[in-house]
Amino acid sequence: MNFLHCFAAEWLKKKGSLASWLVIIGGFFTPVIIIVVRLIYHSKLKALNLDPKFWEKHWINSWESMAIFLLPMGIILSSSLIAQLEYKNNTWKQWHTTPQKYSTLFFAKLAVVIVMMLQFFFLFNIGIYLSGVLPGLFFNDVPYPPEPIPFSLFAQYNFYYFVTCLPMIAIQYLVSLRFKNFLVAVGGGIALWIASVGALSWKFGYIVPYTHGSLYYLKTAGRYKLDNNIIGWALVYFAAATLISYFLYISKKEKG
């Protein structure tokens, strides 16, 4: 129960912050762009909707910019913002005087970031569906996509994409707890993301934790043969980064 109460307190604390808006804006940004583009080029909508693989192609197109650019940037910013709330409000000492174990405080704040990521996935999936059907509603000759939505396949994709996000969350959380300067956490994350983009063409690119989401997207798009267990690597990196972050946190003499 202590953990749930602590989590609820952390969840309330982040309400109204930029991190909350990042989830909402990030979840609907790409779908809105797709809707606008399809309305502009509406002459192609009928053939697009009649494609027997409409939902698979629409899913892959929706994830392209998200997996490679927008999602990593969103994770870098939101994870850093949540961990930095205490530095910004100068409330570290107050936070640590609450009758909670350090482990409870640490994992409750981390859980907030992870639940925010689940919230983002939920909103983005709604946005993908809306961007697939809304443009056609403006034109009488554009039919609703006849292909059934492959829910089980998309659920699998969502799970794998979510797992590939975990290393980035844990690493950004680690850096944000160690450094008071918000720009250090964000700058470090952006540097790792840039390095990951450069590593996508490297045969050992999977050892860079920030490449996992992009590599999985390239695999689903048929542009990359996934010979390595990206999900396994992601889980190992997440566990390692979380444990290192936890032990650095509880062993730090001056916490804030």
Side-chain angles (χ1 to χ4, degrees):
M1 290 300 292
N2 284 342
F3 177 82
L4 293 177
H5 291 153
C6 191
F7 173 84
E10 291 299 313
W11 187 262
L12 287 173
K13 194 185 299 181
K14 66 92 185 170
K15 292 185 71 175
S17 68
L18 181 59
S20 297
W21 285 106
L22 279 173
V23 171
I24 298 172
I25 295 172
F28 289 111
F29 181 80
T30 296
V32 168
I33 296 297
I34 291 174
I35 290 172
V36 171
V37 170
R38 291 187 174 180
L39 288 176
I40 293 174
Y41 299 99
H42 57 84
S43 60
K44 300 179 181 179
L45 272 178
K46 184 175 181 179
L48 191 69
N49 280 26
L50 289 174
D51 191 310
K53 293 291 184 181
F54 171 82
W55 286 112
E56 288 91 336
K57 292 180 179 179
H58 178 56
W59 174 274
I60 291 171
N61 290 335
S62 299
W63 267 102
E64 183 171 10
S65 61
M66 183 60 68
I68 297 174
F69 175 69
L70 294 175
L71 185 56
M73 290 301 297
I75 292 172
I76 290 168
L77 291 172
S78 60
S79 300
S80 302
L81 283 167
I82 291 298
Q84 289 276 325
L85 280 176
E86 313 306 331
Y87 287 123
K88 177 185 176 182
N89 299 321
N90 197 26
T91 53
W92 273 114
K93 288 182 173 61
Q94 180 182 351
W95 196 55
H96 287 119
T97 56
T98 58
Q100 305 286 352
K101 296 179 180 179
Y102 287 156
S103 58
T104 302
L105 296 171
F106 175 89
F107 286 107
K109 192 176 282 290
L110 177 59
V112 167
V113 182
I114 293 174
V115 173
M116 284 176 60
M117 188 55 51
L118 290 171
Q119 186 181 36
F120 161 80
F121 271 76
F122 176 74
L123 295 177
F124 185 52
N125 277 270
I126 291 176
I128 290 176
Y129 172 75
L130 293 177
S131 63
V133 299
L134 280 182
L137 297 180
F138 290 90
F139 307 97
N140 293 329
D141 62 332
V142 178
Y144 184 89
E147 182 203 10
I149 300 176
F151 288 106
S152 60
L153 179 63
F154 289 169
Q156 177 184 331
Y157 285 167
N158 272 294
F159 173 75
Y160 288 154
Y161 273 120
F162 176 75
V163 172
T164 62
C165 292
L166 294 177
M168 285 188 283
I169 292 174
I171 292 171
Q172 288 302 132
Y173 189 64
L174 186 160
V175 177
S176 298
L177 288 180
R178 291 296 296 174
F179 298 98
K180 295 181 180 180
N181 193 330
F182 173 73
L183 294 178
V184 172
V186 174
I190 292 175
L192 284 169
W193 168 72
I194 293 173
S196 74
V197 174
L200 288 178
S201 58
W202 182 35
K203 66 177 181 178
F204 298 115
Y206 59 88
I207 67 174
V208 181
Y210 284 49
T211 63
H212 295 161
S214 299
L215 289 176
Y216 188 73
Y217 163 75
L218 294 174
K219 182 255 183 183
T220 60
R223 304 178 195 172
Y224 177 78
K225 187 177 180 181
L226 198 63
D227 293 326
N228 300 285
N229 187 359
I230 296 295
I231 303 304
W233 277 91
L235 291 172
V236 169
Y237 272 118
F238 172 67
T242 301
L243 288 174
I244 292 171
S245 180
Y246 174 70
F247 285 115
L248 288 175
Y249 168 71
I250 63 173
S251 62
K252 189 177 181 181
K253 292 182 180 179
E254 185 180 347
K255 297 180 176 60

